Amino acid sequence: MIRFEHVSKSYGGTLVLDDLSFEIAPGQLAVLIGPSGCGKTTTLKTINRLIETDKGDIYVNGRSIARLNKVELRCSIGYVIQQIGLFPHMTVEQNICVVPKLLKYSKERCQKITHEMLELVKMPYEEYAHKYPNQLSGGQQQRIGVLRALAASPPIVLMDEPFGALDPMTRLVLQEEVRRLQQKLNKTIVFVTHDMDEALTMADTVIFMEKGRIVQMASPDEMLRNPASDLICSFMGKRSLNNQHLPQTVADIMRDKVVTVTKDHGVRASVELMSRKNIDTLILTNADGSYAGVVSVDRIKRSGKGYKTVEPLMNRGYPFSYEDEDGQVAFDKLIDGGVNYVVVLRRDRTVAGIVTKTSMARSMAEAVWGNGE
Amino acid sequence: MTDFLEIYGRQIAQAAGTHLYYVLLSVAIAFAVSLTLGILLSRAPRWANIILPLLSLFQTVPGIVFIGLLFLAIGIVPATIIIALAIYAIFPILKNTYVGIIEVDESYREAAKGCGMSALQALIRVELPLALPAIISGLRMSLVYTVSWAVLAAMIGLGGLGDLIFAGISSNNNALILAGALPAALMAILCSLGIDLLRGILIPRPLRRDVL
Ligand SMILES: Nc1ncnc2c1ncn2[C@@H]1O[C@H](COP(=O)(O)OP(=O)(O)OP(=O)(O)O)[C@@H](O)[C@H]1O
Ligand SMILES: [Mg+2]
């Protein structure tokens, strides 16, 4: 979705971006993190060409942005700036509709968008649409800042320390909200922060920068387990230390009685099985017993008509982990992925069980209070 | 008193009318010129740092001297006084327009750009509305000053409330001086109120508190 190829930028002889190359896949939330002045904001602004690069190419959707019209590019990329930047002379509704108006959407359409957007963050239209930014709390302003970036439904959204100025509680709530919106609307988000906790809770991919270079680009758990430099360790502070006190493997926290069927199982038989066992998802295996994917009852209900077996409805990308991995891995997938469970596999890829919130809580409780009554 | 009004009433009304005509026309011209110039200067602050101090220096040339010069060049036509007043009225509006735009917080400019606005759209939709309170207070200043400067029109025989004042001074008639001065003061106050009204219409209430 976004690809940097050997991008460099310098200001008066100092190299601010030093030969950056990386790629962010569609639908991912990538977090840029690093010490102040390492080039996070600069990296972000090169994507919508608020800053022009000296060398290298940036591709958005496979097209080099240098050849795109700047204004069009920016209308297709939502942008939340470091200081919120809601226009104080415009109402909430006018702020949300800035980009739709630039795109010459009709008045009715703009109003509809405002309704939908405010709905997303549970701020009633009647109460808020006609307020001015200085009549809102900091958290509300920040929400509107995010909505303004989403209003014209751009596939990509850039956010530069959007929650920097908020109190920790509001910050947590908004992190969750953005994460939820991102998954619901399937956006690709590039998110800048100073705060490792924020990075680890929100990111699919963390990109750690120092002095204009990428030091490490990895998933949150990978970074927690194998931080690539001392600086990253110090950024993670207590978090990475704490983990060493949790030696439990995934096998310790999983439930091992699970219902599996082969992927050529019939659609109707599968629904019947799920309703009998009172479960909403089935784990599917290949003919040789190795794990293939999962299928949910919702999916079958929505698009199951006309299929004989469940195979075409199967979700192959469902989160899983191996039974001998650290329990933390499954935990992070379960919490960050917003899923109900994580499939657990043996190294030969047969299904060993699942980790659910309940199974995990039970094993944690056992660790703390001992086994049984 | 009633006698006085009977004798001078018509003359006062007529003088006030001429006076107001000079004021409004010259401030309108000044407004158009300084808004344009202020916007242009805000695009080139380097020039502004040369031009604005020069203009403020010019502002210290006494009005009478300037009107005298213009009178020599153009003669006794209303254009003389209107040009002179307009030139004096430019500075406050120009300066406030320029400063108002320049002082728009960088974050708003960046947000506008980041949303995909062109430079012109950012100017019209963001910078000018945010500079509006400053522009309006510049307009108020110009308007109020011009009401008093317009008294000078009488110096070169172009009428206005100055006629009554100068006639009063030369004939040592205090009532006549007041007959010119009071309507002028009243006109200044009304102009100021008019600007308040304009501000009330143009600037939404929640944003009005931090205005001069
Ligand atoms: N317009 C500019 N002119 C010169 N140097 C600049 C300019 N903009 C940024 N820099 C420099 O480039 C470097 C990277 O800046 P950038 O704003 O990308 O940092 P950052 O990682 O976002 O920092 P922070 O976390 O403090 O926001 C800094 O050293 C900064 O001083
Ligand atoms: Mg920054």
Side-chain angles (χ1 to χ4, degrees), chain A residues 45 48 50 70-71 74-75 77 79 81 83-90 98-99 101-102 104 132 134-135 148, chain B residues 105-118 121 124-127 129-130 204-209:
Chain A
K45 287 189 191 169
N48 62 2
L50 284 175
K70 264 192 217 178
V71 169
R74 288 176 192 153
C75 285
I77 298 181
Y79 183 43
I81 69 169
Q83 309 87 341
I84 310 184
L86 286 183
F87 300 122
H89 61 292
M90 296 184 189
V98 165
V99 186
K101 273 230 184 83
L102 288 174
K104 307 227 156 54
Y132 285 87
N134 68 2
Q135 298 171 301
R148 180 173 67 183
Chain B
D105 198 290
E106 193 52 39
S107 66
Y108 300 132
R109 236 174 247 136
E110 198 188 304
K113 231 172 145 185
C115 286
M117 291 190 199
S118 66
Q121 286 168 327
I124 293 171
R125 298 184 191 194
V126 177
E127 291 172 278
L130 289 176
R205 186 167 292 117
L207 307 180
R208 242 178 271 161
R209 63 204 152 100

Side-chain angles (χ1 to χ4, degrees), chain A residues 86-126:
Chain A
L86 286 183
F87 300 122
H89 61 292
M90 296 184 189
T91 60
V92 164
E93 174 155 31
Q94 288 166 331
N95 265 292
I96 290 177
C97 290
V98 165
V99 186
K101 273 230 184 83
L102 288 174
L103 294 172
K104 307 227 156 54
Y105 289 8
S106 71
K107 233 187 179 147
E108 294 74 43
R109 192 156 165 214
C110 287
Q111 204 179 35
K112 192 162 154 264
I113 288 175
T114 313
H115 273 101
E116 288 167 3
M117 288 290 130
L118 287 173
E119 180 106 337
L120 285 176
V121 295
K122 311 248 165 1
M123 288 169 70
Y125 180 91
E126 286 68 29

Side-chain angles (χ1 to χ4, degrees), chain A residues 36-37 39-42 82 160-161 192 194:
Chain A
S36 191
K40 306 181 291 290
T41 299
T42 310
Q82 204 157 351
D160 194 352
E161 301 198 36
V192 168
H194 266 85

Side-chain angles (χ1 to χ4, degrees), chain B residues 8-23 146-155 158-169 175-188:
Chain B
Y8 291 108
R10 259 186 74 89
Q11 197 187 341
I12 294 173
Q14 201 172 24
T18 313
H19 203 93
L20 191 63
Y21 165 71
Y22 291 156
V23 169
T146 307
V147 170
S148 57
W149 287 327
V151 167
L152 295 177
M155 296 275 305
L158 285 172
L161 289 167
D163 259 359
L164 298 161
I165 297 172
F166 290 128
I169 291 171
L176 206 50
I177 296 179
L178 283 181
L182 284 182
L186 191 68
M187 192 179 292

